[in-house]
Amino acid sequence: MAPATAARASAARDEGSDPEAAKLAVWKQALYDRVRETRRENDLFTQEDLTDLGVIPNKDKGLLLQVIQALSNDKLFVTFREASGQVCWKWRDEQEAHKYKQCANDEQAMVYSLVDDAGGDGVWSQTLQRRLNMNDTVLKNALKQLQIKGLIAPFKNVEHPNKKMYIKASIQPSDRATGGPWYTDQNFDEAFIEDLQKVIYDFIKKQSSYVSRHAAAGHDSSRTKVPKKGVLKGGESARGKKRDASEMADAPTSKAANKKSTASTPARTSATPVLLPLPAGYTKYPTVREIARLLSDSGVTNNTVLSGADVQKLVDVLVWDNLVEPVKVAGKIGYRVSRIAKQSAEGWAGRDDPTGREGGPAAYISAYTETPCGRCPVFDICEDGGPVGPSNCIYFTEWLGID
């Protein structure tokens, strides 16, 4: 049984000798249960809303106000006043209500209430003092007592690293407060992000290209295969039969031919693999969901949980760097590497490089997109005699460095 429920049951037993108090306890429980079944925790109820629930007999307003006051005393109802002046109430969970009842005085209750309202973002101690207009000593004592009771806890907010922030001890700080998966111990983890981008890039490259060795090496005539001369030796069944075409041997070369070839022909190297683009109509370019699944299965995230939105941000950075590009695949957005034939067949991840870019992929830079016209924000209205035109283009003036 929850602490708040046990306390209310004990109170009901104590009130058993008073019939009116016992009836009030029953109506209080009935109204609270009905409110929880009807609306979400953040919904507000007016007096008319509570009356229409049909719990209070004969819609007795006097009795309703007594029940509301009893629920407020137990911290199960929170009172609000709208801009119009109308009073409303919001129900509170029993466990949360029990925490409010642990506050020894009004100062602690007010401080805890503001920390509670701040949620996962937390609240600055100076904000508490300003909003409550509370003496500094009283505020510090209230914060200390609430920490001792395990109701609130101090924490660091990456947006305000030098401010002393407080949050409810029972909840986790929001991504906004902690920086999400991109921060480690309140520090921006640039190395972690770069490692993830390398893995993502290599995965997209593997899924959006194929490796060709023939295209790099060409045809090597020195390794031409020819049928062996002669006939098979053996018994009567094999005698006179020519060798099968599958029995191939290197073409014979004389010492003189070898010497001449060495003098006139440069030494050949082994085939170097190159990447080639996939044909039009290919539909298996990886999506963000597939990339997220790869990161989760690979263990490269170091037990950090990445949402689809987090992975999308990583992919977007690669897009903005002109390393990958989106492509529509069967109604979904997939990704492929830009200028795949210009990229190395070697993986980007795992290279020993402190800069993170040495030997990495080459970004695609178009001369057209580098000029103002290629990224003009007013391209649709640019024309001779119009509000913007080639003769008075301020973007070209800035780009060319003309005063």
Side-chain angles (χ1 to χ4, degrees), residues 18 35 45 49-50 54 87-88 174 177 182 200 284 297 345 354 357:
D18 186 348
V35 165
F45 293 83
D49 293 332
L50 296 174
V87 179
C88 302
S174 66
W182 317 130
I200 292 173
K284 294 185 179 180
D297 295 341
R357 288 291 183 183

Side-chain angles (χ1 to χ4, degrees), residues 9-22:
S10 176
R13 287 193 299 269
D14 294 340
E15 295 169 353
S17 58
D18 186 348
E20 294 300 323

Side-chain angles (χ1 to χ4, degrees), residues 190-206:
E190 188 173 354
F192 177 60
I193 295 174
E194 288 180 353
D195 288 343
L196 291 177
Q197 286 181 315
K198 290 179 180 181
V199 173
I200 292 173
Y201 178 85
D202 285 345
F203 176 65
I204 295 176
K205 183 170 67 174
K206 182 179 179 181

